[in-house]
Amino acid sequence: MSRLVMKFGGTSVANIERIRNVALHVKREAEAGNQVAVVVSAMAGKTDELVAWCSEAAPLHNGPEYDAVVASGEQVTAGLLAIVLEEIGIPARSWQGWQIPILTTDAHGSARIESIDGGEIVRRMERYGEVAVVAGFQGMHKETGRLTTLGRGGSDTSAVAVAAAIHAERCDIYTDVDGVYTTDPRIVPRAKRMERIAFEEMLEMASLGAKVLQVRSVELAMVYKVPTYVRSSFDDPAAPGAGTLICSEEDIVEQPVVSGIAFSRDEAQITLRRVADKPGVAAGIFGPLAEANINVDMIIQVVSDDTTTTDLTFTVGTADYERARNILESRRGQIGYADMQGQTEVVKVSAIGIGMRSHAGVAARAFRALAEKGINIRAITTSEIKFSVLIDEAYTELAVRTLHSLYGLDRAA
Ligand code: ASP
Ligand code: MG
């Protein structure tokens, strides 16, 4: 007998019929003798609607009330699934975040889980064989007693955290795709489903644009070593397909040099021309951005012709672009630059693989291949298991396809 967490995303619980289908997946695992905790998202589109209602009610609404509103979507699906499970003879009860409790920080709208008491859930599994149906995405801040939410996509994180708290053998994330692909199959039809991917690689894939899982959930899975399985809720509940297992790298036998290609259109580039080339200038630029909670990603600095000034290019998320420009504009005097230029039509394409640690020249091959296609690289960053290039957005598909076949990831036709 094993203990499992099964998580179902918004499209999997989009209506009552789909919730019935989810119940059949749960039934299969429960009848196989497993102790099961289920974590659910809100019905597809529900959270967007709730978020929009908050903005309509008041553009600058307060954080705790926003959370009170948006957390409600998960309360509904947790209750509905428990009802449907009971109806087909599986003992179940719903749990809201605060009832467990799942305690979080008070960063409303993007709170982090601090602790989960899984004791009562486990006791009831053992004593009554009861399935715990947990509302994802929500928690509570202990000191204020207020509801919190974990940021968009946060139910994945709820699921992995519950799995760690109840010492589950595995966390199964059921979604509308049947696993993690070498890249987005909508861009590269010959992308392959991976059998396995290492935690570190998945963390990079998710951080660099792959949208399957919330980044924080992968971090937690890695820290607590929770084997996490991404699989489809649209498979026949009686005969589910394989999915992708996210696991420790030791559990992966054949490790390709590059495992996947990710891309993110959520990038904007800012260039400051003729910045004084003297100590303290970088701090003068990036300090205020950091204080404003703006994440700077790629940075390149080039010495210009006159040697006393330099050009500085860096990227920020699209959502922070205007804010970053305003901050730099207001400090133009202190920083001292001649001109600021910006570009939002850029995309970051990344190749990820723990095999890069032991192979030289992996990125160099990509630069050559992209050049042959006439794709200009605006910026580059590398780390131990990935490299990223910033290019014009118009070349996204060409670049992703080029790298995908360059590293032998295309599925045989
Ligand atoms: N319902 C929330 C959202 O749409 C959380 C989740 O689905 O993971 O972001
Ligand atoms: Mg999701």
Side-chain angles (χ1 to χ4, degrees), residues 281-344:
V281 168
I285 294 167
F286 298 120
L289 295 179
E291 272 158 39
N293 253 320
I294 294 175
N295 255 327
V296 172
D297 180 19
M298 308 171 116
I299 302 178
I300 37 179
Q301 181 178 335
V302 283
V303 179
S304 59
D305 310 334
D306 62 15
T307 70
T308 58
T309 66
T310 170
D311 287 353
L312 198 76
T313 292
F314 56 91
T315 61
V316 297
T318 319
D320 292 329
Y321 177 67
E322 288 300 335
R323 227 156 41 92
R325 288 196 61 139
N326 290 341
I327 290 171
L328 296 171
E329 191 59 61
S330 70
R331 295 186 171 246
R332 185 173 185 150
Q334 289 122 285
I335 301 168
Y337 57 86
D339 189 24
M340 173 161 51
Q341 290 159 353
Q343 176 61 266
T344 52

Side-chain angles (χ1 to χ4, degrees), residues 116-230:
I116 299 183
D117 181 353
E120 186 59 14
I121 286 179
V122 169
R123 198 181 66 82
R124 298 174 70 107
M125 282 173 165
E126 287 182 337
R127 190 163 301 177
Y128 313 119
E130 187 182 87
V131 171
V133 185
V134 178
F137 187 48
Q138 31 165 282
M140 175 183 125
H141 179 241
K142 191 169 179 204
E143 289 67 26
T144 56
R146 306 244 30 196
L147 277 185
T148 55
T149 61
L150 308 179
R152 300 306 305 269
S155 296
D156 295 334
T157 301
S158 308
V160 174
V162 168
I166 66 171
H167 306 287
E169 265 92 314
R170 208 172 75 218
C171 180
D172 288 355
I173 308 263
Y174 287 82
T175 173
D176 50 4
V177 291
D178 65 352
V180 181
Y181 278 71
T182 47
T183 194
D184 186 341
R186 283 167 300 188
I187 300 267
V188 183
R190 288 169 74 180
K192 287 182 286 200
R193 180 179 54 80
M194 304 179 208
E195 292 292 329
R196 293 179 174 219
I197 177 171
F199 290 123
E200 292 85 341
E201 291 174 318
M202 191 64 225
L203 186 57
E204 294 286 4
M205 291 280 283
S207 312
L208 295 167
K211 297 209 169 60
V212 222
L213 293 173
Q214 199 195 34
V215 175
R216 181 82 188 114
S217 71
V218 187
E219 267 168 22
L220 280 185
M222 184 160 103
V223 170
Y224 292 100
K225 297 200 169 31
V226 179
T228 300
Y229 207 17
V230 177

